[in-house]
Amino acid sequence: GRWLAAGTVVTVDLWDHRRGTLSASLPARGIRAAAFSTDSTSLCWLDEDGVATLPLAGAGDPGAVPPRRDASRPWTHLSMATGTNTLVLADGTADSLVVRRTGQPDLPLGPHQFVRFTTLSRDGGRVASGSLTQPGVLVWESVRGQRLASLDSGLNVRPVFSADGHWLAASGPTCSL
């Protein structure tokens, strides 16, 4: 991809790594997480003001368009799939894990308590989550919310799908799948 994002206490800085220049410095308060869409057309971040989504596709000056904001809940973790159509949001202190698609109601997944890590397949069709307190990586179908698999692992495991979505890797303090 072209972009690199770095969060500070008061901004999300968007760098064009091909040119080595700072392209935009966007206001933010206390960055918790940030993710690019799998096709690099959008940047999404969580801060004290909620979820922000910034389109990057065709953006000559990504700071010229303000990000879309959603302050409906204090989310702590996110993953994003192609474009801004699919987000997975998790509240790392409760039993909340949802799939959010533009123009549709949130789809809760669970139970999976204290989710710390989430990932989406490139097409947004599958979600994997890892928890601080519940061993294992859970894999979900993201349209109906059906749990597809529970993979044995330790606690605090970070899953990630391969670029083609056919493989899932996970690693943490006590495992590597």
Side-chain angles (χ1 to χ4, degrees):
R2 174 181 175 184
W3 304 106
L4 172 70
T8 71
V9 176
V10 295
T11 64
V12 171
D13 294 335
L14 190 61
W15 294 82
D16 182 335
H17 78 83
R18 292 178 189 161
R19 295 186 179 129
T21 58
L22 178 64
S23 296
S25 191
L26 307 160
R29 293 185 328 123
I31 297 295
R32 295 181 182 141
F36 286 97
S37 60
T38 54
D39 63 358
S40 299
T41 60
S42 299
L43 171 65
C44 191
W45 68 87
L46 297 172
D47 64 12
E48 293 174 17
D49 295 323
V51 180
T53 306
L54 180 71
L56 298 173
D61 178 9
V65 177
R68 291 187 308 272
R69 282 281 186 183
D70 171 10
S72 62
R73 189 171 181 149
W75 300 107
T76 58
H77 306 287
L78 77 112
S79 294
M80 191 175 188
T82 303
T84 58
N85 187 43
T86 307
L87 287 173
V88 173
L89 299 165
D91 179 345
T93 61
D95 192 13
S96 297
L97 177 65
V98 301
V99 174
R100 177 173 291 171
R101 286 193 169 81
T102 305
Q104 297 180 15
D106 287 354
L107 174 67
L109 304 177
H112 199 188
Q113 298 178 336
F114 297 97
V115 171
R116 174 101 187 254
F117 301 110
T118 61
T119 188
L120 272 159
S121 60
R122 184 176 185 88
D123 65 1
R126 288 182 305 277
V127 175
S129 57
S131 166
L132 281 174
T133 61
Q134 191 175 345
V137 171
L138 299 184
V139 181
W140 313 87
E141 188 276 332
S142 71
V143 175
R144 293 182 306 275
Q146 177 184 3
R147 189 166 87 182
L148 301 174
S150 177
L151 307 174
D152 289 334
S153 68
L155 299 172
N156 204 22
V157 175
R158 177 184 294 259
V160 63
F161 283 102
S162 63
D164 65 7
H166 291 105
W167 293 92
L168 178 68
S171 67
T174 59
C175 89
S176 184
L177 298 173

